[in-house]
Amino acid sequence: MPDFRLAVAPMVDRTDRHFRFLVRQVSLRVRLYTEMTVDQAVLRGNRERLLAFRPEERPLALQLAGKDPETLAQAAQVAEAWGYDEVNLNLGCPSQKAQEGGYGACLLLDLPRVKEILRAMQEAVRVPVTVKMRLGLEGKETYPDLARAVEAMAEAGVSVFIVHARSALLALSTRANREVPPLRHEWVHRLKRDFPHLTFVTNGGIRSLEEALLHLRRVDGVMMGRAVYEDPFVLEEADQRVYGLPHRASRLEVARRMRAYLEEELLRGTPPWAVLRHMLHLFRGRPRGRLWRRLLSEGRTLGALDRALRLMEEEVGQEGEGEKPGPRGEPEAALGLTREGV
Ligand SMILES: Cc1cc2nc3c(=O)[nH]c(=O)nc-3n(C[C@H](O)[C@H](O)[C@H](O)COP(=O)(O)O)c2cc1C
């Protein structure tokens, strides 16, 4: 069974291959997801642009959206052929566009179709087919409704459920839908108690690794989105504290690796801003962090990155002095977590 303990959420316009590569420098193991990709785009679009990734990004899942079992199954096959480790079905997007297209959260109203889709996708591929869903729709859901939905999908063979632990309110904007409906992580914890043989990953509003570790006492996994985008270094201790690996990079090391990456990408014709825009928050909350951000966003070139890097090197010292890890926060033991327990 793949490791679902920690994941970075699929985010349109955020989790493209460049941002994923950056996150991978911070954590060697965290599970990564692409942006939501419509099945028709996979089947008819520019696959190199939509699907290409570097092997370092793995473990990596492609998140698909769609409503038709056949085309979703075909798209899943393409994903598998491209080397993705998982195909995830979006059952949580509440946007107007998704509603018009009949995919995303509104599919939760049609569980027989969802089952048909999931069966078709699983027949088409060997990699795990997982779902990312909301608790329900319009705030009318009850825990028994949620449990029934999970049961139905489990009947169709799904065993991994990523749950954004709030309802989807279809009249609200997509953005408001990530803030307004109340979070109910306790429902996901309860799902794990009621269906211990299934894998549950909880998602929504989790801001720190400490919080993630607390959830991991009750569920199989935690998915974090905005907190990671806003400061990729929330994952700074993930490899040590979740996976028991010695790896831990400094911000400056990650920035230098991203410089080398940008240089390679430029040779492939990638515009510098496509990479640099994801690096803006790399020194968030650190001395000169705002200056770093300004230099990159105003310069938008490799040269601007070099200037910003020199500045940060001066700040922290050539050897990375001052970048040494600060206090480690609460040790695992104090949280009642052993590695096995995590
Ligand atoms: C900019 C942005 C884009 C998103 N795009 C997707 C997406 O493509 N697919 C998806 O399932 N969820 C998407 N989401 C929702 C996130 O995956 C996640 O469920 C949500 O942000 C709650 O987690 P968080 O509080 O840790 O950010 C998006 C969220 C944001 C902020």
Side-chain angles (χ1 to χ4, degrees), residues 8 14-28 30 32 54 56-57 228-236 239 247 249-251 253-259 261-262 274-283 292 296 305:
V8 178
R14 303 277 192 282
T15 51
D16 61 19
R17 62 193 180 87
H18 309 305
F19 182 65
R20 298 192 306 257
F21 188 86
L22 187 160
V23 173
R24 181 60 74 226
Q25 308 314 307
V26 183
S27 168
L28 301 175
V30 66
L32 298 177
R54 294 199 184 203
E56 296 95 312
E57 293 171 40
V228 177
Y229 196 78
E230 288 158 20
D231 179 4
F233 271 72
V234 296
L235 299 178
E236 184 175 15
D239 283 355
H247 174 259
S250 72
R251 292 175 198 256
E253 282 162 356
V254 171
R256 288 186 185 125
R257 271 185 232 142
M258 290 307 292
R259 188 212 178 274
Y261 173 84
L262 175 57
V275 176
L276 291 174
R277 71 189 188 104
H278 296 303
M279 297 172 63
L280 296 178
H281 305 305
L282 204 46
F283 289 89
W292 163 269
L296 294 195
L305 175 59

Side-chain angles (χ1 to χ4, degrees), residues 144-212:
D145 290 339
L146 174 64
R148 265 193 294 279
V150 163
E151 238 166 347
M153 291 187 244
E155 266 170 33
V158 171
S159 66
V160 181
F161 297 82
I162 302 166
V163 187
H164 183 180
R166 45 164 65 96
S167 193
L169 306 180
L170 297 180
L172 289 185
S173 72
T174 309
R175 195 185 174 129
N177 256 301
R178 294 179 203 128
E179 296 291 345
V180 176
L183 279 167
R184 293 201 177 96
H185 287 290
E186 65 280 6
W187 285 19
V188 190
H189 300 168
R190 189 169 162 194
L191 284 172
K192 182 62 197 174
R193 289 199 300 276
D194 291 346
F195 303 93
H197 56 293
L198 300 175
T199 297
F200 292 97
V201 176
T202 202
N203 163 246
I206 298 168
R207 303 291 311 175
S208 69
L209 193 64
E210 296 300 332
E211 261 184 79

Side-chain angles (χ1 to χ4, degrees), residues 9-12 36 63 90 132 164 178 203-205 224-226:
M11 289 182 282
V12 165
M36 174 177 80
Q63 188 187 56
N90 183 311
K132 181 165 179 281
H164 183 180
R178 294 179 203 128
N203 163 246
M224 294 167 75
R226 287 165 290 185

